[in-house]
Amino acid sequence: IQDRTDLAQQIQALVRRVLAAHMYPRIVEFLPSLPKGPSGKTLRTVLRAQHKEHKARRSYRTATPSEPV
């Protein structure tokens, strides 16, 4: 998990230097695969739905002092 955290921070640092502030990704998530349609295009609507579901599940958890929500 530490490797992913380091990689996410490196990605954010690179993007911060290259893109405008409003385009900077505040969250970087790693997925095992992206949902694809029959044409091979990424199904962004499915990604949004998965993100919304994940976000809803996280909002019900309470964080301990040593664990971020």
Side-chain angles (χ1 to χ4, degrees):
I1 292 180
Q2 183 62 31
D3 290 339
R4 286 185 177 185
T5 302
D6 291 342
L7 180 58
Q9 290 172 348
Q10 290 174 8
I11 291 169
Q12 288 175 319
L14 173 68
V15 172
R16 184 179 289 152
R17 289 191 304 266
V18 177
L19 297 178
H22 72 278
M23 299 176 80
Y24 171 74
R26 286 160 183 75
I27 299 171
V28 176
E29 294 184 36
F30 297 94
L31 303 173
S33 65
L34 294 175
K36 304 275 185 175
S39 65
K41 293 182 179 181
T42 301
L43 298 175
R44 291 181 286 173
T45 54
V46 174
L47 283 175
R48 284 187 205 105
Q50 289 174 350
H51 176 71
K52 186 176 181 180
E53 179 183 318
H54 177 73
K55 189 175 175 181
R57 279 186 281 145
R58 285 182 57 129
S59 67
Y60 290 113
R61 279 186 50 210
T62 57
T64 61
S66 63
E67 178 187 28
V69 175

